[in-house]
Amino acid sequence: IRVVRQKLLKIPEAASSGVPPVVVVHMTKGGVGKTTLAVNVAVALATYGYRTCFIDGDPQGTASEMFGLDTGADDLRHI
């Protein structure tokens, strides 16, 4: 992912050291598998040892539920 990002943005390797890659899954149409794809990519990267930060921006919280979080819990902070 980092190499593809460097090539597409034409970032020299020396300038990109320390810059973490960003993966964004976005489409306006519903029901096309965005959440499933994003969760599976995050899990795959974590399985390979990469530190990942997953942000579930969907008000339904489907991705959070896929990770096993109880979205109805009182101690879960919704921003």
Side-chain angles (χ1 to χ4, degrees):
I1 294 171
R2 182 183 303 266
V3 173
V4 171
R5 183 175 174 215
Q6 287 173 340
K7 300 281 184 197
L8 290 174
L9 298 176
K10 297 181 173 103
I11 301 172
E13 288 187 37
S16 66
S17 61
V19 177
V22 175
V23 178
V24 177
V25 179
H26 173 74
M27 178 174 246
T28 56
K29 172 115 176 57
V32 296
K34 298 178 296 288
T35 301
T36 303
L37 175 68
V39 168
N40 285 322
V41 167
V43 169
L45 289 172
T47 301
Y48 281 107
Y50 292 97
R51 292 176 57 191
T52 59
C53 173
F54 191 95
I55 299 173
D56 185 5
D58 186 2
Q60 294 175 329
T62 307
S64 298
E65 291 174 357
M66 291 174 117
F67 281 113
L69 294 172
D70 180 15
T71 56
D74 291 335
D75 61 344
L76 183 66
R77 181 167 201 165
H78 296 276
I79 300 173

